[in-house]
Amino acid sequence: MPDLQLPRRPEIVKLGGSLTGDPRLPALLGALARHGAPLLLVAGGGPLADGVRVLQPRLSLSEGACHRMAILAMEQTAIAFADLAPHIALADGPEAIARAQAEGRAALWLPARMALAARDLPESWDLTSDSLAAWLAGETGAAGLVLVKSTAAAPGSAPADWAAAGLVDPLFPAFAARLAGPVAVTTVEAALASLEHGSLAA
């Protein structure tokens, strides 16, 4: 059973931080906004999280501090993405997600409130925004999880293969195994093509 009860099972779309450098990002966000509910979007930390990695050895920062800073980097990226597509609703928890669903809007997760309170998330770089998206999918009983990345997964491959290839973090297969719905990796081009036909199912 999911920990959070929502009016509709969300369809989670993780937008990789590398997409901040993709000129098609505004078009993708616009297409996701038009699709609306029950989409629940998760933004990667992108360059902001990379900055945390650079600071860690320079300042001898702890894993715990970097975990919290990386989650805040995801939050800042989400705010940036929402600025590019104002019809997408920022949501920091189940109440805001449900409100976006009631309004027919896609929601963009602000992770700090939920993720920093969680006790089952390791404070380690082995946990990235991909695993956080899978964790959120489990918490919300999501109908599916799609990771939009700059590189597609090999046909017929599974989460363990993605982790071995460095496409997702090492913890992702374990989080994905908990999900009832399908999990997939796609590219911006493929995601835009799918949304033109009205769906982005995993």
Side-chain angles (χ1 to χ4, degrees):
M1 290 289 291
D3 291 341
L4 307 178
Q5 298 299 318
L6 295 169
R8 298 174 64 182
R9 295 175 68 197
E11 298 169 7
I12 295 188
V13 180
K14 158 68 194 324
L15 303 173
S18 64
L19 302 187
T20 56
D22 193 311
R24 295 166 297 183
L25 175 64
L28 176 60
L29 289 169
L32 293 166
R34 289 189 294 275
H35 187 284
L39 291 184
L40 175 54
L41 314 180
V42 178
L48 297 168
D50 292 340
V52 179
R53 291 181 185 269
V54 171
L55 279 178
Q56 184 173 21
R58 186 179 300 170
L59 300 179
S60 299
L61 298 175
S62 67
E63 291 288 290
C66 290
H67 172 75
R68 294 187 288 276
M69 292 168 70
I71 287 172
L72 291 171
M74 291 174 60
E75 186 134 327
Q76 292 180 76
T77 305
I79 292 169
F81 285 2
D83 193 58
L84 296 175
H87 192 65
I88 295 174
L90 289 168
D92 66 352
E95 303 89 350
I97 297 169
R99 188 160 54 248
Q101 288 185 348
E103 296 170 354
R105 300 168 70 186
L108 184 53
W109 188 43
L110 294 173
R113 174 186 163 195
M114 292 174 61
L116 293 179
R119 295 292 175 261
D120 58 341
L121 294 175
E123 296 183 346
S124 164
W125 285 114
D126 284 344
L127 178 98
T128 71
S129 52
D130 290 333
S131 278
L132 282 166
W135 175 83
L136 180 65
E139 293 292 295
T140 59
L145 168 61
V146 176
L147 309 178
V148 183
K149 292 180 170 285
S150 54
T151 303
S157 60
D161 303 310
W162 308 342
L167 195 59
V168 296
D169 64 67
L171 300 180
F172 181 84
F175 281 102
R178 305 176 187 176
L179 305 182
V183 181
V185 177
T186 191
T187 62
V188 174
E189 183 178 12
L192 283 168
S194 296
L195 286 164
E196 284 181 5
H197 294 90
S199 175
L200 190 59

